[in-house]
Amino acid sequence: MALNIVLFGPPGAGKGTQSERLIQKYGLIHLSTGDIFRANMKEETELGILAKSFISKGHLVPDEVTINMLKEEVLKHPESKGFIFDGFPRTTVQAVALDEFLATMNSSIKVMLALEVEENELRERLMKRALVSGRSDDADEKIIQNRINVYKNETAPVKTFYEKQSKFISIDGIGTIDEISNRIYGAIEKN
Ligand code: ADP
């Protein structure tokens, strides 16, 4: 069965960094909804212009738009050994849609790995990242706070969804990049 992983965590938790490691180690396809939106914003596609109006405020892009985009990306990789879903699902509606979609391909999510980092550390990391990322949503404290609030209210409940399926694994997101990777590998290999 395909190794499909949901890599979960608040903004700044280190999902992107750890995804890089996972694709190399397990030969997976990395699908970051944030990256896909940013690529579309750069190209000024219709999707990019729409996404920007939400992202620049620290809001979520509407579920229907995000889900359709994600499905299209998955369908581009029929031979994949598995996917890392990074930044998706971010709402329970998205989680249900992902399960239903994978089921149509006789596939499913194997584990949800949740990187846990406390709020003050997140704020600090995002402010630092703003200096190098060029991301306007990292540069403004109010927008950062919005994203953290959206995470708490809309995204954190997605944990419960996977907990009910016994697929939820919490990973301590504080430490060196290697330490955190090793925790993640351990969790994948135990399951
Ligand atoms: P971070 O995890 O640092 O917030 P991402 O790159 O994952 O960054 O996402 C950036 C922005 O893109 C989010 O704040 C949100 O506006 C939008 N976005 C990304 N993924 C989703 C999603 N699954 N559903 C809705 N909006 C999303």
Side-chain angles (χ1 to χ4, degrees):
M1 233 258 292
L3 179 56
N4 293 318
I5 298 172
V6 171
L7 191 59
F8 190 82
K15 301 185 293 285
T17 309
Q18 294 301 332
S19 291
E20 296 287 325
R21 300 285 180 99
L22 288 170
I23 19 183
Q24 293 202 359
K25 188 165 166 83
Y26 299 105
L28 305 175
I29 302 281
H30 179 212
L31 292 185
S32 157
T33 42
D35 284 352
I36 302 166
F37 285 134
R38 280 186 290 277
N40 276 277
M41 281 154 60
K42 204 168 153 210
E43 299 295 320
E44 300 183 326
T45 66
E46 211 178 307
L47 174 66
I49 292 163
L50 178 78
K52 193 173 182 179
S53 66
F54 295 93
I55 292 176
S56 63
K57 299 192 192 91
H59 297 159
L60 293 181
V61 178
D63 282 332
E64 201 193 330
V65 175
T66 307
I67 291 164
N68 287 335
M69 175 185 87
L70 193 276
K71 286 183 183 173
E72 268 178 41
E73 291 295 323
V74 169
L75 293 172
K76 285 182 190 166
H77 303 279
E79 304 298 327
S80 159
K81 283 196 249 172
F83 292 92
I84 301 175
F85 297 102
D86 164 359
F88 185 94
R90 249 178 162 95
T91 63
T92 305
V93 170
Q94 292 179 13
V96 172
L98 180 61
D99 268 6
E100 286 173 358
F101 175 58
L102 291 175
T104 66
M105 299 186 295
N106 290 319
S107 192
S108 61
I109 293 296
K110 189 162 190 288
V111 279
M112 185 235 225
L113 303 168
L115 286 170
E116 314 270 10
V117 176
E118 54 102 14
E119 218 177 299
N120 284 333
E121 168 81 12
L122 293 176
R123 263 191 227 106
E124 256 173 54
R125 287 188 188 180
L126 291 172
M127 302 287 279
K128 260 194 219 150
R129 185 168 80 182
L131 302 174
V132 291
S133 70
R135 280 175 57 171
S136 61
D137 60 343
D138 284 345
D140 179 317
E141 265 179 75
K142 259 200 240 134
I143 296 172
I144 290 179
Q145 194 54 48
N146 253 348
R147 286 158 64 203
I148 294 176
N149 293 346
V150 167
Y151 174 80
K152 283 198 241 173
N153 297 330
E154 296 179 56
T155 305
V158 176
K159 282 187 199 175
T160 315
F161 179 86
Y162 289 100
E163 230 162 6
K164 285 189 188 145
Q165 299 185 10
S166 306
K167 290 178 179 171
F168 168 80
I169 300 175
S170 167
I171 306 277
D172 178 2
I174 303 281
T176 66
I177 294 175
D178 281 337
E179 279 164 354
I180 298 165
S181 304
N182 287 329
R183 288 174 200 148
I184 291 179
Y185 303 153
I188 292 174
E189 277 149 36
K190 242 196 338 214
N191 278 269

